[in-house]
Amino acid sequence: VLRYERKAFETNKEALDKVVAFVYVPKSATTEVLYFITDPQCPHCEKAKGQVREIADKKGLELRVIFFPISSLSKDKAIKGVCSKMTYEDYLVGKYAGASCPEGQEKIEAAIKIGRKLKVGGVPTFITSKGLVLEGFNAKGLESL
């Protein structure tokens, strides 16, 4: 599902940037940003994450990954990912190491709130720096954003 949420995105961009868990910057990065909203337990996100990086490399997009956990197990993993200063490489191999910390708990709680404000209905969800929102993973759809 593709929709345009420019006003909601612009209103919430600063808050969205504060809940980014980690960033992937390709060698040929442009000024374009793609927010990748994901859940550590989401099978569709797992299938997509390698292809999303390939698209980011190809298009020079900076990926800003935000955890939007659906279950308590997902939330625990997301918090550990934030607390361990997870990288995109860690994400690709599913390395959610370390322990929970207050900073991680606050960031994930804030991510859930901002996700709801932006009407994130499922994961993965992608948001461009122009406010285009793509729910679900579709490589062709993502490349056309």
PDB file of all heavy atoms in Angstrom, residues 110-132:
ATOM      1  N   ALA A 110       9.188   5.392  22.508  1.00  0.00           N
ATOM      2  CA  ALA A 110       8.974   6.573  21.672  1.00  0.00           C
ATOM      3  C   ALA A 110       8.732   6.167  20.214  1.00  0.00           C
ATOM      4  O   ALA A 110       7.908   6.774  19.520  1.00  0.00           O
ATOM      5  CB  ALA A 110      10.165   7.517  21.780  1.00  0.00           C
ATOM      6  N   ALA A 111       9.444   5.128  19.740  1.00  0.00           N
ATOM      7  CA  ALA A 111       9.270   4.652  18.365  1.00  0.00           C
ATOM      8  C   ALA A 111       7.852   4.124  18.149  1.00  0.00           C
ATOM      9  O   ALA A 111       7.250   4.358  17.095  1.00  0.00           O
ATOM     10  CB  ALA A 111      10.296   3.561  18.043  1.00  0.00           C
ATOM     11  N   ILE A 112       7.328   3.426  19.138  1.00  0.00           N
ATOM     12  CA  ILE A 112       5.961   2.903  19.039  1.00  0.00           C
ATOM     13  C   ILE A 112       4.970   4.061  18.949  1.00  0.00           C
ATOM     14  O   ILE A 112       4.068   4.062  18.108  1.00  0.00           O
ATOM     15  CB  ILE A 112       5.647   1.966  20.235  1.00  0.00           C
ATOM     16  CG1 ILE A 112       6.506   0.693  20.137  1.00  0.00           C
ATOM     17  CG2 ILE A 112       4.159   1.631  20.288  1.00  0.00           C
ATOM     18  CD1 ILE A 112       6.513  -0.162  21.394  1.00  0.00           C
ATOM     19  N   LYS A 113       5.169   5.086  19.770  1.00  0.00           N
ATOM     20  CA  LYS A 113       4.260   6.248  19.757  1.00  0.00           C
ATOM     21  C   LYS A 113       4.315   6.983  18.424  1.00  0.00           C
ATOM     22  O   LYS A 113       3.286   7.335  17.857  1.00  0.00           O
ATOM     23  CB  LYS A 113       4.610   7.208  20.900  1.00  0.00           C
ATOM     24  CG  LYS A 113       4.188   6.701  22.256  1.00  0.00           C
ATOM     25  CD  LYS A 113       4.565   7.659  23.360  1.00  0.00           C
ATOM     26  CE  LYS A 113       4.262   7.034  24.712  1.00  0.00           C
ATOM     27  NZ  LYS A 113       4.911   7.726  25.802  1.00  0.00           N
ATOM     28  N   ILE A 114       5.521   7.213  17.923  1.00  0.00           N
ATOM     29  CA  ILE A 114       5.652   7.950  16.658  1.00  0.00           C
ATOM     30  C   ILE A 114       5.135   7.101  15.490  1.00  0.00           C
ATOM     31  O   ILE A 114       4.527   7.631  14.561  1.00  0.00           O
ATOM     32  CB  ILE A 114       7.103   8.444  16.432  1.00  0.00           C
ATOM     33  CG1 ILE A 114       7.147   9.486  15.319  1.00  0.00           C
ATOM     34  CG2 ILE A 114       8.040   7.331  16.084  1.00  0.00           C
ATOM     35  CD1 ILE A 114       6.587  10.800  15.708  1.00  0.00           C
ATOM     36  N   GLY A 115       5.333   5.802  15.560  1.00  0.00           N
ATOM     37  CA  GLY A 115       4.791   4.918  14.527  1.00  0.00           C
ATOM     38  C   GLY A 115       3.277   5.010  14.457  1.00  0.00           C
ATOM     39  O   GLY A 115       2.692   5.048  13.371  1.00  0.00           O
ATOM     40  N   ARG A 116       2.656   5.075  15.611  1.00  0.00           N
ATOM     41  CA  ARG A 116       1.188   5.204  15.646  1.00  0.00           C
ATOM     42  C   ARG A 116       0.746   6.550  15.083  1.00  0.00           C
ATOM     43  O   ARG A 116      -0.247   6.629  14.362  1.00  0.00           O
ATOM     44  CB  ARG A 116       0.679   5.012  17.069  1.00  0.00           C
ATOM     45  CG  ARG A 116       0.781   3.562  17.515  1.00  0.00           C
ATOM     46  CD  ARG A 116       0.240   3.354  18.912  1.00  0.00           C
ATOM     47  NE  ARG A 116       0.410   1.970  19.320  1.00  0.00           N
ATOM     48  CZ  ARG A 116       0.714   1.588  20.547  1.00  0.00           C
ATOM     49  NH1 ARG A 116       0.869   2.486  21.503  1.00  0.00           N
ATOM     50  NH2 ARG A 116       0.844   0.307  20.825  1.00  0.00           N
ATOM     51  N   LYS A 117       1.485   7.616  15.408  1.00  0.00           N
ATOM     52  CA  LYS A 117       1.145   8.947  14.866  1.00  0.00           C
ATOM     53  C   LYS A 117       1.241   8.963  13.350  1.00  0.00           C
ATOM     54  O   LYS A 117       0.486   9.663  12.683  1.00  0.00           O
ATOM     55  CB  LYS A 117       2.094  10.013  15.437  1.00  0.00           C
ATOM     56  CG  LYS A 117       1.762  10.467  16.810  1.00  0.00           C
ATOM     57  CD  LYS A 117       2.689  11.599  17.216  1.00  0.00           C
ATOM     58  CE  LYS A 117       2.429  12.031  18.641  1.00  0.00           C
ATOM     59  NZ  LYS A 117       3.355  13.075  19.070  1.00  0.00           N
ATOM     60  N   LEU A 118       2.206   8.192  12.814  1.00  0.00           N
ATOM     61  CA  LEU A 118       2.384   8.138  11.363  1.00  0.00           C
ATOM     62  C   LEU A 118       1.523   7.055  10.710  1.00  0.00           C
ATOM     63  O   LEU A 118       1.675   6.759   9.535  1.00  0.00           O
ATOM     64  CB  LEU A 118       3.866   7.909  11.033  1.00  0.00           C
ATOM     65  CG  LEU A 118       4.772   9.088  11.362  1.00  0.00           C
ATOM     66  CD1 LEU A 118       6.231   8.690  11.244  1.00  0.00           C
ATOM     67  CD2 LEU A 118       4.462  10.272  10.449  1.00  0.00           C
ATOM     68  N   LYS A 119       0.630   6.461  11.489  1.00  0.00           N
ATOM     69  CA  LYS A 119      -0.325   5.460  11.011  1.00  0.00           C
ATOM     70  C   LYS A 119       0.359   4.223  10.431  1.00  0.00           C
ATOM     71  O   LYS A 119      -0.079   3.687   9.409  1.00  0.00           O
ATOM     72  CB  LYS A 119      -1.285   6.069   9.991  1.00  0.00           C
ATOM     73  CG  LYS A 119      -2.091   7.225  10.538  1.00  0.00           C
ATOM     74  CD  LYS A 119      -2.970   7.811   9.458  1.00  0.00           C
ATOM     75  CE  LYS A 119      -3.562   9.109   9.941  1.00  0.00           C
ATOM     76  NZ  LYS A 119      -3.445  10.187   8.991  1.00  0.00           N
ATOM     77  N   VAL A 120       1.456   3.804  11.074  1.00  0.00           N
ATOM     78  CA  VAL A 120       2.122   2.577  10.644  1.00  0.00           C
ATOM     79  C   VAL A 120       1.196   1.427  11.004  1.00  0.00           C
ATOM     80  O   VAL A 120       0.912   1.186  12.172  1.00  0.00           O
ATOM     81  CB  VAL A 120       3.513   2.421  11.323  1.00  0.00           C
ATOM     82  CG1 VAL A 120       4.109   1.058  11.012  1.00  0.00           C
ATOM     83  CG2 VAL A 120       4.443   3.537  10.883  1.00  0.00           C
ATOM     84  N   GLY A 121       0.716   0.731   9.988  1.00  0.00           N
ATOM     85  CA  GLY A 121      -0.251  -0.335  10.198  1.00  0.00           C
ATOM     86  C   GLY A 121       0.358  -1.724  10.196  1.00  0.00           C
ATOM     87  O   GLY A 121      -0.310  -2.702  10.497  1.00  0.00           O
ATOM     88  N   GLY A 122       1.616  -1.815   9.843  1.00  0.00           N
ATOM     89  CA  GLY A 122       2.294  -3.100   9.786  1.00  0.00           C
ATOM     90  C   GLY A 122       3.752  -2.895   9.412  1.00  0.00           C
ATOM     91  O   GLY A 122       4.175  -1.783   9.104  1.00  0.00           O
ATOM     92  N   VAL A 123       4.487  -3.972   9.463  1.00  0.00           N
ATOM     93  CA  VAL A 123       5.908  -3.911   9.113  1.00  0.00           C
ATOM     94  C   VAL A 123       6.205  -4.944   8.033  1.00  0.00           C
ATOM     95  O   VAL A 123       5.510  -5.955   7.973  1.00  0.00           O
ATOM     96  CB  VAL A 123       6.801  -4.150  10.363  1.00  0.00           C
ATOM     97  CG1 VAL A 123       6.798  -2.943  11.262  1.00  0.00           C
ATOM     98  CG2 VAL A 123       6.383  -5.385  11.137  1.00  0.00           C
ATOM     99  N   PRO A 124       7.175  -4.703   7.185  1.00  0.00           N
ATOM    100  CA  PRO A 124       7.957  -3.479   7.124  1.00  0.00           C
ATOM    101  C   PRO A 124       7.162  -2.325   6.522  1.00  0.00           C
ATOM    102  O   PRO A 124       6.251  -2.530   5.722  1.00  0.00           O
ATOM    103  CB  PRO A 124       9.122  -3.848   6.210  1.00  0.00           C
ATOM    104  CG  PRO A 124       8.575  -4.903   5.304  1.00  0.00           C
ATOM    105  CD  PRO A 124       7.589  -5.674   6.158  1.00  0.00           C
ATOM    106  N   THR A 125       7.526  -1.120   6.942  1.00  0.00           N
ATOM    107  CA  THR A 125       6.998   0.107   6.359  1.00  0.00           C
ATOM    108  C   THR A 125       8.192   0.979   6.009  1.00  0.00           C
ATOM    109  O   THR A 125       9.164   1.035   6.763  1.00  0.00           O
ATOM    110  CB  THR A 125       6.059   0.844   7.345  1.00  0.00           C
ATOM    111  OG1 THR A 125       4.874   0.061   7.524  1.00  0.00           O
ATOM    112  CG2 THR A 125       5.660   2.212   6.826  1.00  0.00           C
ATOM    113  N   PHE A 126       8.107   1.630   4.874  1.00  0.00           N
ATOM    114  CA  PHE A 126       9.177   2.506   4.404  1.00  0.00           C
ATOM    115  C   PHE A 126       8.618   3.904   4.217  1.00  0.00           C
ATOM    116  O   PHE A 126       7.509   4.067   3.708  1.00  0.00           O
ATOM    117  CB  PHE A 126       9.739   1.996   3.074  1.00  0.00           C
ATOM    118  CG  PHE A 126      10.237   0.584   3.164  1.00  0.00           C
ATOM    119  CD1 PHE A 126       9.398  -0.489   2.891  1.00  0.00           C
ATOM    120  CD2 PHE A 126      11.533   0.321   3.564  1.00  0.00           C
ATOM    121  CE1 PHE A 126       9.845  -1.795   2.994  1.00  0.00           C
ATOM    122  CE2 PHE A 126      11.991  -0.988   3.679  1.00  0.00           C
ATOM    123  CZ  PHE A 126      11.143  -2.044   3.397  1.00  0.00           C
ATOM    124  N   ILE A 127       9.396   4.909   4.621  1.00  0.00           N
ATOM    125  CA  ILE A 127       8.984   6.302   4.456  1.00  0.00           C
ATOM    126  C   ILE A 127      10.144   7.055   3.809  1.00  0.00           C
ATOM    127  O   ILE A 127      11.275   6.995   4.304  1.00  0.00           O
ATOM    128  CB  ILE A 127       8.619   6.961   5.805  1.00  0.00           C
ATOM    129  CG1 ILE A 127       7.531   6.162   6.529  1.00  0.00           C
ATOM    130  CG2 ILE A 127       8.173   8.411   5.583  1.00  0.00           C
ATOM    131  CD1 ILE A 127       7.208   6.654   7.925  1.00  0.00           C
ATOM    132  N   THR A 128       9.854   7.750   2.726  1.00  0.00           N
ATOM    133  CA  THR A 128      10.889   8.545   2.063  1.00  0.00           C
ATOM    134  C   THR A 128      11.000   9.905   2.743  1.00  0.00           C
ATOM    135  O   THR A 128      10.120  10.310   3.506  1.00  0.00           O
ATOM    136  CB  THR A 128      10.566   8.776   0.575  1.00  0.00           C
ATOM    137  OG1 THR A 128       9.439   9.660   0.473  1.00  0.00           O
ATOM    138  CG2 THR A 128      10.281   7.477  -0.153  1.00  0.00           C
ATOM    139  N   SER A 129      12.060  10.630   2.406  1.00  0.00           N
ATOM    140  CA  SER A 129      12.241  11.966   2.974  1.00  0.00           C
ATOM    141  C   SER A 129      11.247  12.968   2.390  1.00  0.00           C
ATOM    142  O   SER A 129      11.221  14.116   2.810  1.00  0.00           O
ATOM    143  CB  SER A 129      13.683  12.434   2.779  1.00  0.00           C
ATOM    144  OG  SER A 129      14.127  12.194   1.477  1.00  0.00           O
ATOM    145  N   LYS A 130      10.420  12.522   1.454  1.00  0.00           N
ATOM    146  CA  LYS A 130       9.359  13.379   0.905  1.00  0.00           C
ATOM    147  C   LYS A 130       7.992  13.033   1.497  1.00  0.00           C
ATOM    148  O   LYS A 130       6.984  13.608   1.124  1.00  0.00           O
ATOM    149  CB  LYS A 130       9.326  13.257  -0.616  1.00  0.00           C
ATOM    150  CG  LYS A 130      10.576  13.820  -1.282  1.00  0.00           C
ATOM    151  CD  LYS A 130      10.514  13.597  -2.785  1.00  0.00           C
ATOM    152  CE  LYS A 130      11.709  14.183  -3.496  1.00  0.00           C
ATOM    153  NZ  LYS A 130      12.955  13.463  -3.291  1.00  0.00           N
ATOM    154  N   GLY A 131       7.957  12.041   2.384  1.00  0.00           N
ATOM    155  CA  GLY A 131       6.704  11.678   3.034  1.00  0.00           C
ATOM    156  C   GLY A 131       5.892  10.604   2.341  1.00  0.00           C
ATOM    157  O   GLY A 131       4.753  10.351   2.716  1.00  0.00           O
ATOM    158  N   LEU A 132       6.467   9.945   1.322  1.00  0.00           N
ATOM    159  CA  LEU A 132       5.781   8.805   0.704  1.00  0.00           C
ATOM    160  C   LEU A 132       5.927   7.601   1.623  1.00  0.00           C
ATOM    161  O   LEU A 132       7.022   7.334   2.125  1.00  0.00           O
ATOM    162  CB  LEU A 132       6.404   8.464  -0.644  1.00  0.00           C
ATOM    163  CG  LEU A 132       5.888   9.227  -1.845  1.00  0.00           C
ATOM    164  CD1 LEU A 132       6.717   8.895  -3.078  1.00  0.00           C
ATOM    165  CD2 LEU A 132       4.428   8.922  -2.117  1.00  0.00           C
TER     166      LEU A 132
END
